Amino acid sequence: MPLGLGRRKKAPPLVENEEAEPGRGGLGGAGAGPLGGGGAGGPQVGLPPPPAALRPRLVFHTQLAHGSPTGRIEGFTNVKELYGKIAEAFRLPAAEVMFCTLNTHKVDMDKLLGGQIGLEDFIFAHVKGQRKEVEVFKSEDALGLTITDNGAGYAFIKRIKLGSVIDHIQVISVGDMIEAINGQSLLGCRHYEVARLLKELPRGRTFTLKLTEPRKAFDMISQRSAGGRPGSGPQLGTGRGTLRLRSRGPATVEDLPSAFEEKAIEKVDDLLESYMGIRDTELAATMVELGKDKRNPDELAEALDERLGDFAFPDEFVFDVWGAIGDAKVGRY
């Protein structure tokens, strides 16, 4: 049905455009939380894990980011199972694993493990470190935060805009997990739910953030953040393909993304940050996958409503996504 006519009314953007400007940053949640949530790309009921015989039997090497012997993991089909395998390898509770980075032990959000792992990537697992409680005075409507999640129920700070309200609070860092806002637990919530709560906090009031930072190695103790503009890091893998992790259905081994797909995913991820204050390459990849064969924006809108309707994407966002995919197709990068 035509955009703006038959589609249900969409919510306005949660975050103003300036939230997408480069900052200090440098994470994509399953399972229902206090606000409802789960499933890659939006709140939805997932299917049970596929039989073991259908799962790719690939072996990956892993270490704890703050230092450990090297472990071997295999037999997982989604991010939550991956964290469980890492926990088994190092005899940790699965809930202690916060997020993973690829090929670096540093808290580098450009290297965050999302929906794909290169078949030769080395996985570094970041576990819970110091907990902290911070009072924040919301002097501006925009706090300067970009939020993402780890694919297993934890939401994180992925980027902090330079000069913003949060940028002036030195104890808050990129990579910190947001456990609660004003005592309301956020465990199990998706990134967009956390971004909405932060956006809706009244200006001119003080609120409390309960945070957990990742445990750091000695060479990271003095660092407050790491990483730069998303997309600036090296590509995943070394040419042998990637393992695509899905919240519904088995993981699949795929070729590395084409130049068109890489650029389209990057541009759609930028739009997610601009409109919603989140970054999620798995969600962006799903949207590109849904839109690359659609003939017009209306078909894309219908596909997004059917697959990702709980996000309530505004019409202007859908038009921009359609344009971003079209630009990438013809090489307008």
Side-chain angles (χ1 to χ4, degrees), residues 263-280:
K263 183 52 62 174
I265 290 168
E266 179 183 338
K267 291 170 75 72
V268 172
D269 206 17
D270 286 344
L271 290 170
L272 285 170
E273 182 175 32
S274 176
Y275 277 88
M276 303 184 68
I278 64 175
R279 292 198 77 91
D280 187 337

Side-chain angles (χ1 to χ4, degrees), residues 137-156:
F137 179 72
K138 191 175 183 181
S139 58
E140 304 289 342
D141 289 329
L143 291 169
L145 288 176
T146 297
I147 309 299
T148 190
D149 59 49
N150 71 343
Y154 294 162
F156 297 85

Side-chain angles (χ1 to χ4, degrees), residues 140-207:
E140 304 289 342
D141 289 329
L143 291 169
L145 288 176
T146 297
I147 309 299
T148 190
D149 59 49
N150 71 343
Y154 294 162
F156 297 85
I157 297 172
K158 181 164 186 177
R159 185 180 303 171
I160 300 174
K161 183 182 175 183
L162 293 173
S164 66
V165 173
I166 298 298
D167 187 44
H168 291 99
I169 305 175
Q170 291 297 310
V171 72
I172 300 178
S173 301
V174 165
D176 286 353
M177 179 178 71
I178 305 177
E179 286 195 22
I181 299 175
N182 287 335
Q184 178 179 354
S185 175
L186 301 179
L187 300 181
C189 291
R190 293 302 315 271
H191 40 35
Y192 71 93
E193 294 174 304
V194 176
R196 181 185 295 124
L197 281 175
L198 291 168
K199 179 68 175 177
E200 292 174 350
L201 290 169
R203 182 175 177 177
R205 302 274 187 88
T206 298
F207 65 95

Side-chain angles (χ1 to χ4, degrees), residues 58-63 69-76 82 85-86 88-90 122-123:
L58 302 172
V59 178
F60 293 88
H61 292 87
T62 183
Q63 288 182 358
T70 298
R72 291 161 55 91
I73 55 174
E74 61 178 317
F76 55 89
L82 167 62
K85 294 292 184 179
I86 291 173
E88 289 177 12
F90 296 107
F122 197 104
I123 301 171

Side-chain angles (χ1 to χ4, degrees), residues 25-26 108-112 158-159 226-234 236:
D108 184 345
M109 297 296 99
D110 287 340
K111 309 294 177 58
L112 187 73
K158 181 164 186 177
R159 185 180 303 171
R229 182 69 177 166
S232 62
L236 295 180

